[in-house]
Amino acid sequence: MTALLHPTYFPNVAHMAIMLQSDVINFEYCDTYGKQTYRNRCCIMRANGLLQLNIPVIHSQKNRQLYSNVEVSHAEKWQLTHLKSLETAYRKSPFFEFYIDDLKPLFTKKVSNLYEFNIDCLKVIFECLQLPLNFSLTQFFDQNTRQYLDARTLVFCKKEVNQSFENYIQVFSDKHEFIGNLSILDLLFNEGPNTVNYLKSQNVNLQ
């Protein structure tokens, strides 16, 4: 199975499950950038509930800016904010100390292009999972995707399809009910090496 999807910022469980269950990963490279998507944001769980981590971007005056051309804004110290948020939310999780040193360089490196940074984040996640990340990029925008499992709709935040994933123990499960389909970081910090088995066993709703 060849999956067609968008590379997003620390992808949620649905995105990751599709990737791990596919034989071939094909990332959309020729689409236009849109707001209210997971291209520049992810969701984590903290003591007060959900927290959305957003990467600020520089919006072009052009109406149809390519996602692959979007530049990251450094008007605010978002990398430091994101790292501190992760530390606050997950430092008591079972596997935080096991993975955080691999992730920290992503929050200190100079970031310019959003698409390239999301790919870099994915590479680190796959290294943490001890899996190869083999992928290709589309050469043109194709709406006739019968040869693919088209999972590009998973990129939308407001149009997100309800997903029903198995519960796992989250850091603040004593305060909040289980929330599924958070960033892969939530699953990784809480489940560690079991993350791969979990992702391969979930059914993703694309309707």
Side-chain angles (χ1 to χ4, degrees), residues 24-76:
V24 179
I25 299 172
N26 200 9
F27 286 134
E28 179 61 73
Y29 189 72
C30 303
D31 64 317
T32 55
Y33 184 78
K35 300 179 180 179
Q36 301 297 320
T37 72
Y38 289 111
R39 292 178 179 92
N40 70 321
R41 70 191 66 190
C42 68
C43 293
I44 64 172
M45 173 65 82
R46 59 176 176 172
N48 294 331
L50 282 178
L51 175 65
Q52 194 173 85
L53 302 179
N54 293 277
I55 300 177
V57 300
I58 300 172
H59 292 287
S60 170
Q61 298 301 314
K62 299 177 182 179
N63 292 327
R64 297 180 62 82
Q65 183 183 20
L66 289 176
Y67 172 20
S68 56
N69 290 338
V70 173
E71 297 298 309
V72 173
S73 170
H74 290 280
E76 52 189 273

Side-chain angles (χ1 to χ4, degrees), residues 2-3 7 23 26 29 33 59 63 70 87 113 131 162 185 207:
T2 299
D23 301 311
N26 200 9
Y29 189 72
Y33 184 78
H59 292 287
N63 292 327
V70 173
E87 290 172 339
N113 181 276
L131 293 174
N162 289 330
L185 296 176
Q207 301 300 316

Side-chain angles (χ1 to χ4, degrees), residues 5-205:
L5 63 164
H6 297 282
T8 58
Y9 180 47
F10 288 121
N12 58 26
V13 168
H15 276 91
M16 290 297 301
I18 290 292
M19 282 187 258
L20 265 65
Q21 294 172 25
S22 301
D23 301 311
V24 179
I25 299 172
N26 200 9
F27 286 134
E28 179 61 73
Y29 189 72
C30 303
D31 64 317
T32 55
Y33 184 78
K35 300 179 180 179
Q36 301 297 320
T37 72
Y38 289 111
R39 292 178 179 92
N40 70 321
R41 70 191 66 190
C42 68
C43 293
I44 64 172
M45 173 65 82
R46 59 176 176 172
N48 294 331
L50 282 178
L51 175 65
Q52 194 173 85
L53 302 179
N54 293 277
I55 300 177
V57 300
I58 300 172
H59 292 287
S60 170
Q61 298 301 314
K62 299 177 182 179
N63 292 327
R64 297 180 62 82
Q65 183 183 20
L66 289 176
Y67 172 20
S68 56
N69 290 338
V70 173
E71 297 298 309
V72 173
S73 170
H74 290 280
E76 52 189 273
K77 297 181 179 180
W78 63 270
Q79 286 171 286
L80 180 60
T81 300
H82 288 197
L83 180 58
K84 287 184 175 180
S85 296
L86 291 175
E87 290 172 339
T88 300
Y90 295 109
R91 61 190 171 197
K92 294 184 179 179
S93 63
F95 297 97
F96 178 79
E97 295 295 336
F98 191 79
Y99 296 113
I100 192 59
D101 287 343
D102 294 319
L103 294 164
K104 278 184 177 179
L106 293 168
F107 301 99
T108 57
K109 67 179 292 184
K110 183 177 180 180
V111 177
S112 56
N113 181 276
L114 178 64
Y115 196 101
E116 293 174 1
F117 180 64
N118 285 344
I119 295 292
D120 288 342
C121 291
L122 267 173
K123 289 178 180 178
V124 173
I125 290 298
F126 270 74
E127 288 174 2
C128 290
L129 298 177
Q130 298 184 348
L131 293 174
L133 175 58
N134 299 317
F135 64 91
S136 59
L137 302 177
T138 59
Q139 301 299 309
F140 56 91
F141 187 80
D142 186 4
Q143 294 182 324
N144 181 16
T145 57
R146 281 176 288 182
Q147 70 270 37
Y148 303 117
L149 173 65
D150 190 352
R152 291 177 295 182
T153 54
L154 293 176
V155 77
F156 297 109
C157 298
K158 290 190 174 182
K159 296 181 181 179
E160 183 175 6
V161 174
N162 289 330
Q163 305 289 347
S164 181
F165 295 132
E166 294 176 21
N167 291 20
Y168 56 86
I169 298 176
Q170 295 173 318
V171 178
F172 302 105
S173 57
D174 58 329
K175 297 181 179 180
H176 304 284
E177 293 183 358
F178 173 78
I179 298 181
N181 208 26
L182 297 179
S183 167
I184 182 59
L185 296 176
D186 186 84
L187 180 61
L188 187 67
F189 289 144
N190 286 302
E191 287 291 301
N194 189 50
T195 296
V196 173
N197 291 333
Y198 179 92
L199 292 170
K200 288 184 175 181
S201 66
Q202 303 307 301
N203 293 318
V204 180
N205 183 8

